[in-house]
Structures are given as C-alpha cells and as structure tokens.
Amino acid sequence: MKTALITGITGQDGSYLAEHLLKKGYRVVGVVRRSSTTPYERIAHLVDRVELVSADLLDQTSLTDVVQAAEPDEIYNLAAQSFVQTSWTQPVLTGEFTALGVTRMLEAMRKAAPKSRFYQASSSEQFGKVVETPQRESTPFYPRSPYGVAKVYGHWITVNYRESFDLFAVSGILFNHESPRRGLEFVTRKITDAVARIKLGKAHEVRLGNIDARRDWGFAGDYVDAMWRMLQQDAPDDFVISTGKTYSVREFLDAAFSVVDLDYRNYVVHDEKFFRPAEVDLLVGDPSKAKNKLGWEPRVALPELVRMMVEADLERHSKPR
Ligand code: NAP
Ligand code: GDD
C-alpha cells in the first residue's frame, strides 16, 4: 500500500484528490492547520478513512515532523492562500504561504523523505498578462498579482530543488478548475450560488467585477487525476493541465442562469469592489503534452460543469435549515 501526504486536504482539490487516492488503495495522510473550529466540510465523508495530522505552512518543524512520521511515497503540496483578490490585501501572508511554504515543504521532504515524489500546485495565473496564446509549458511567465508572483516562486523553487538535489519534484500548471466544492468567493461558485438563491427567491441580484475576463475552466475531479499521473512518470517533468477552451465570465453567467431559465442581464450588478488592480484578461491552455505523455484528457465540458454546480447549489439551498 502506497502512502500519500496531502497538504490542503480540506480545500477543493484536496478533497477530490483524497477520494481519488483512496479509490486507488492509498493510505492518505492529510495536513490540517490548527483552527478554533474544524473546517472539514469538504472531507466530512472521508474523515474516517484518512489520517489527519496537524502542521502549518508557516512552521518548518511541524512540516518536517509530519513528513517524517508519515513516510510518504508521494507528497501533494496543495495548501496555499489561493484567492487572487486577497493577495493584494494580504501580500506578505500570500508570499509566506504560497511562495515560501513551498520551500518549507521541499526542505521537509529533502530532510525527512528524499526518495518521496513531490507535486507542486502551480497555476495558470503565472502566465498573467499572457505573452502567447494558447499558453503551454514553454510560455514565459508574466504574473499580474501577488498570488501569481508567489506561485512563480513556488514553481521555480520546485524546479530548482529537482535540479539541485535530484529530487522527484514536479509542477502541474493547472488552469482554473471548479466544482460544487469550489470556495464561494471564486467567480464560478459565486455565480452558481447566486443563481440558486435567485431562483428560490432568496436573493435578487449578484454583484460582480470584470465579466469580460476569459478563463479556461475545467472540472476539479478530472484535474486531480492529472496530478496523480504526473507522479507515476519515469522521470519528473512539468505539465500544463487545461481544457484548451476559453469562455468569458459573461458566457459562464449566461450558461448558469439558463439552467434555471432566467436571463442573467436582469440580475447582474457591476460593482467596482470586485475589479482587480491588475487583471488577467485571457487564459487558455494547450494540454497536448499532458495528453501525449500522461494519457490525460478532461472529461467534463463547461456546460456539464455549470449544470452540475447550479444543481448542487439548488439542492443545498432547498434543504430546510
Ligand atoms: P482552496 O480550496 O483554497 O484550499 C486551500 C487549502 O490550503 C485549504 O485546505 C487550506 O486550509 C490550506 N491552507 C491554507 N493556508 C495554509 C497554511 N498556512 N497551512 C496549512 N494549510 C493551509 O484551494 P484549491 O482550489 O483546492 O487549490 C489547491 C491548490 O491549487 C492551491 O495551491 C491553489 O493555489 C492551486 N491552484 C488552484 C487552481 C484552481 O483553479 N482551483 C488552479 C491552479 C492552482 P483551510 O481549510 O484550513 O483554510
Ligand atoms: N472572484 C471573483 N469575484 N472574480 C470575479 C468577480 C467577482 O465578483 N467578477 C469578475 N471576476 C473575474 C476576476 O476578475 C477574474 O478575471 C475571473 O473572474 C476569475 O476570478 P476567480 O474565480 O477569483 O479566479 P482566478 O482566475 O482569479 O484564480 C483562480 O484560478 C487560478 C488559476 O488560473 C484561483 O483558483 C487561483 O487559486 C488559481 O491559481
């Protein structure tokens, strides 16, 4: 039985990855940080089948200790301050978690489990103000937010530790991926949650920023399989994971309101609060390397993803409290 250690197991991707690895027969050890409440909403159905251990990306000793105790074959470093907008108001914390946190995890692995395999959650946000379209593994980075800058650091420190210390360490440059478990502050979930509340008469508008931004949106359940595949390769390498299709936030809105037979134009209010100091206008990835080398392809297309998210939010809001 292989052991996987997952940081960020309580997040969207951590929950899908834990399910995926449990199905494959892994022993799954998940890192959680200390909190006065227990934020296990996304993994409530898994807590009896995973081992939860306490550590924090800010604390080197705790990270090294959990790696030493777990003796993992694979380490998935998913934990981060992952919300782009917050990275402007908490830039130092974002750098600590999302950039230096990666070095701390790599150090923990180097000291306590150097034969393990390491996955770093890199991001299409690294491409930022894109210098070529579609974006691929060789496309230069031009980050547009403190989050993007921190992820570029995390990416290159992973490459550097691979080359310096001969570690099996890889980065998956994942484009946006969503699900019914997506945080409510991200635009897709904010929209599907609002659609459900509006349809049920619990809200009458949704306040948004730049709805002309374009993203390459996939389904999180598909993307965690790509993470796993990257760690099963003979040699460590980095991959873009995307659908290859791009849609605007406006198109996402149209699709989401259409699921409940409403017209988004009657409900959207533009609010300056949700515009960003610097925007990423267009993301669309080229997943051909992942297809050729990993045999990976996305299975869920955007219309199905939108429907899945709207229906899940409708069900959640329909339940009596
Ligand atoms: P998410 O839902 O925001 O989850 C983030 C996770 O990190 C949570 O489990 C959170 O724990 C944990 N965390 C935050 N700060 C921590 C700290 N100081 N110590 C320990 N754990 C900490 O993010 P996600 O969407 O699953 O994304 C997973 C990773 O992929 C992130 O690194 C993200 O930046 C990256 N990524 C995401 C996407 C995407 O579209 N989803 C695309 C590319 C890259 P709490 O539950 O305690 O807050
Ligand atoms: N969150 C949010 N809220 N975004 C809005 C809103 C709003 O009210 N209105 C418009 N947008 C636009 C943003 O300006 C951005 O262009 C787009 O919607 C997507 O925003 P998010 O859903 O917050 O995601 P993101 O693309 O900034 O970041 C996500 O994807 C990255 C990969 O490219 C996050 O998951 C990151 O962690 C991830 O690395």
Side-chain angles (χ1 to χ4, degrees):
M1 184 195 259
K2 275 191 183 176
T3 297
L5 180 80
I6 305 175
T7 72
I9 193 168
T10 54
Q12 171 189 256
D13 291 5
S15 67
Y16 282 105
L17 180 63
E19 275 172 13
H20 193 65
L21 296 176
L22 285 168
K23 273 194 207 126
K24 290 189 177 296
Y26 276 67
R27 167 183 168 237
V28 174
V29 181
V31 176
V32 292
R33 55 178 167 166
R34 197 267 156 187
S35 163
S36 66
T37 56
T38 42
Y40 300 161
E41 192 183 321
R42 296 186 181 100
I43 54 165
H45 59 301
L46 301 176
V47 284
D48 295 337
R49 293 190 285 145
V50 299
E51 294 169 39
L52 297 179
V53 294
S54 180
D56 197 295
L57 287 178
L58 290 181
D59 189 89
Q60 182 70 62
T61 304
S62 67
L63 297 174
T64 309
D65 285 352
V66 295
V67 172
Q68 189 150 34
E71 300 185 75
D73 300 285
E74 297 168 11
I75 299 171
Y76 296 87
N77 186 37
L78 308 186
Q81 191 302 94
S82 74
F83 189 41
V84 171
Q85 185 107 37
T86 293
S87 76
W88 277 285
T89 52
Q90 301 184 11
V92 175
L93 176 133
T94 301
E96 285 286 357
F97 287 14
T98 305
L100 285 177
V102 186
T103 311
R104 294 191 191 101
M105 277 306 297
L106 285 162
E107 274 297 299
M109 170 179 169
R110 192 165 80 87
K111 294 276 162 55
K115 296 286 172 220
S116 182
R117 294 180 168 211
F118 184 90
Y119 173 85
Q120 167 56 18
S122 283
S123 164
S124 51
E125 187 73 10
Q126 292 163 206
F127 296 121
K129 191 172 166 149
V130 298
V131 300
E132 80 175 326
T133 295
Q135 296 84 52
R136 47 179 69 95
E137 290 79 5
S138 55
T139 303
F141 298 139
Y142 189 153
R144 288 277 275 176
S145 61
Y147 169 83
V149 173
K151 280 288 178 188
V152 170
Y153 174 94
H155 183 92
W156 282 114
I157 200 70
T158 303
V159 173
N160 181 261
Y161 267 54
R162 175 165 81 215
E163 295 175 355
S164 303
F165 303 117
D166 201 22
L167 300 179
F168 193 111
V170 308
S171 277
I173 308 173
L174 270 53
F175 282 63
N176 299 50
H177 45 280
E178 320 294 313
S179 74
R181 297 184 202 162
R182 184 58 140 156
L184 283 162
E185 68 274 41
F186 297 92
V187 78
T188 56
R189 185 75 197 290
K190 182 173 172 179
I191 291 168
T192 62
D193 179 71
V195 166
R197 286 186 295 113
I198 290 168
K199 182 68 182 174
L200 296 170
K202 296 181 175 183
H204 59 278
E205 64 178 32
V206 54
R207 305 184 80 84
L208 294 170
N210 174 20
I211 63 171
D212 293 316
R214 301 184 74 85
R215 290 290 182 276
D216 179 333
W217 281 297
F219 171 52
D222 289 346
Y223 284 40
V224 297
D225 177 50
M227 298 175 188
W228 175 78
R229 286 173 188 248
M230 278 180 233
L231 293 195
Q232 314 312 312
Q233 297 300 293
D234 291 337
D237 200 359
D238 305 323
F239 291 88
V240 158
I241 301 297
S242 67
T243 69
K245 294 199 171 66
T246 186
Y247 296 88
S248 64
V249 174
R250 189 188 297 278
E251 287 168 318
F252 191 99
L253 273 168
D254 191 16
F257 277 86
S258 295
V259 172
V260 295
D261 298 321
L262 295 176
D263 184 337
Y264 77 94
R265 290 171 295 188
N266 297 327
Y267 302 98
V268 173
V269 177
H270 292 278
D271 189 332
E272 285 301 317
K273 196 168 75 182
F274 298 109
F275 282 79
R276 296 177 176 181
E279 179 62 286
V280 172
D281 294 316
L282 163 75
L283 289 176
V284 56
D286 174 0
S288 48
K289 181 176 170 185
K291 185 177 177 189
N292 295 336
K293 292 201 168 172
L294 301 176
W296 178 86
E297 278 186 280
R299 285 173 300 174
V300 178
L302 190 89
E304 192 183 339
L305 175 65
V306 172
R307 177 169 289 279
M308 181 200 304
M309 292 176 70
V310 171
E311 286 177 353
D313 279 321
L314 275 171
E315 192 187 332
R316 192 171 57 94
H317 283 296
S318 301
K319 281 186 191 149
R321 295 204 165 202

